[in-house]
Amino acid sequence: MANWLHPLELEGNLARLIPLKESHKPDLLEAASDGNLWELWYTSVPSVDTVDAYIDFALKQESQGLALPFVIVERASGKVVGSTRFCSVDAPNRRVEIGYTWYAQSVQRTGINTECKYLLLQHAFETLDAIAVEFKTNFFNFPSRNAILRLGAKQDGIIRNHRIDKQGNIRDTVIFSILNSEWPAVKTSLEYKMSKTYP
């Protein structure tokens, strides 16, 4: 199970997920500048000062079989509009997290997030044969918490004093998951939502 994840592209009607590379640095910075997303204290979005470490960490995790990072390309414009990744990989137990997700402000609430999550979940459950997919977010990131619930994930609990963030705040982390037994119903729900976005 050491090579459970392999680099690949996932494509939908609105977006493509392509493997993150160092060459994506300027595209990521441009996307993050759309809304100055690094100013959101409760999330981790690359800035000019942090983008090198952000990419290095993602690619190091990928080389260790612990993550599979993507950039998100809007099909209509051909522009990079965000990033996401499979992470916290537990290959022997066929569990994986979808995390480090952020989008340029201009594409938020456009249906791209729903489609990207659908593509990642479909790959996890139908190709990787995952038994569970996790989502984690800061307790104070209410937009993210609500978006995860809208996907059909269920809240497992809150890990209190889970970690110390870059500002020295002690973070409580909210954990959600979707189980393989729940995927058929979640898939139907997401496909219905996407059908309302594009006929």
Side-chain angles (χ1 to χ4, degrees), residues 18-120:
I18 62 175
L20 171 69
K21 298 185 179 354
E22 287 185 24
S23 59
H24 288 123
K25 174 180 173 179
D27 297 323
L28 288 173
L29 286 174
E30 182 178 351
S33 297
D34 181 355
N36 294 344
L37 301 178
W38 54 80
E39 294 176 356
L40 295 172
W41 68 273
Y42 50 69
T43 190
S44 177
V45 178
S47 66
V48 171
D49 295 331
T50 64
V51 67
D52 290 321
Y54 178 90
I55 293 173
D56 288 347
F57 176 75
L59 296 180
K60 180 179 179 182
Q61 290 262 295
E62 180 180 7
S63 71
Q64 296 171 340
L66 299 175
L68 188 57
F70 298 93
V71 292
I72 301 161
V73 178
E74 182 184 34
R75 288 191 60 183
S77 66
K79 289 185 174 182
V80 171
V81 294
S83 184
T84 190
R85 71 187 73 159
F86 286 123
C87 54
S88 303
V89 175
D90 183 358
N93 292 302
R94 304 204 316 273
R95 295 180 65 94
V96 67
E97 178 187 347
I98 296 173
Y100 296 91
T101 303
W102 57 269
Y103 296 92
Q105 191 173 68
S106 60
V107 300
Q108 294 175 14
R109 301 188 177 279
T110 62
I112 286 180
N113 179 53
T114 300
E115 183 178 83
C116 288
K117 292 295 194 300
Y118 174 85
L119 293 170
L120 291 165

Side-chain angles (χ1 to χ4, degrees), residues 3 7 16 18 39 72 77 104 116 124 132 139 142 144 152 163 173:
N3 297 316
R16 292 169 55 227
I18 62 175
E39 294 176 356
I72 301 161
S77 66
C116 288
F139 177 85
F142 294 105
S144 177
R163 62 179 63 162
T173 297

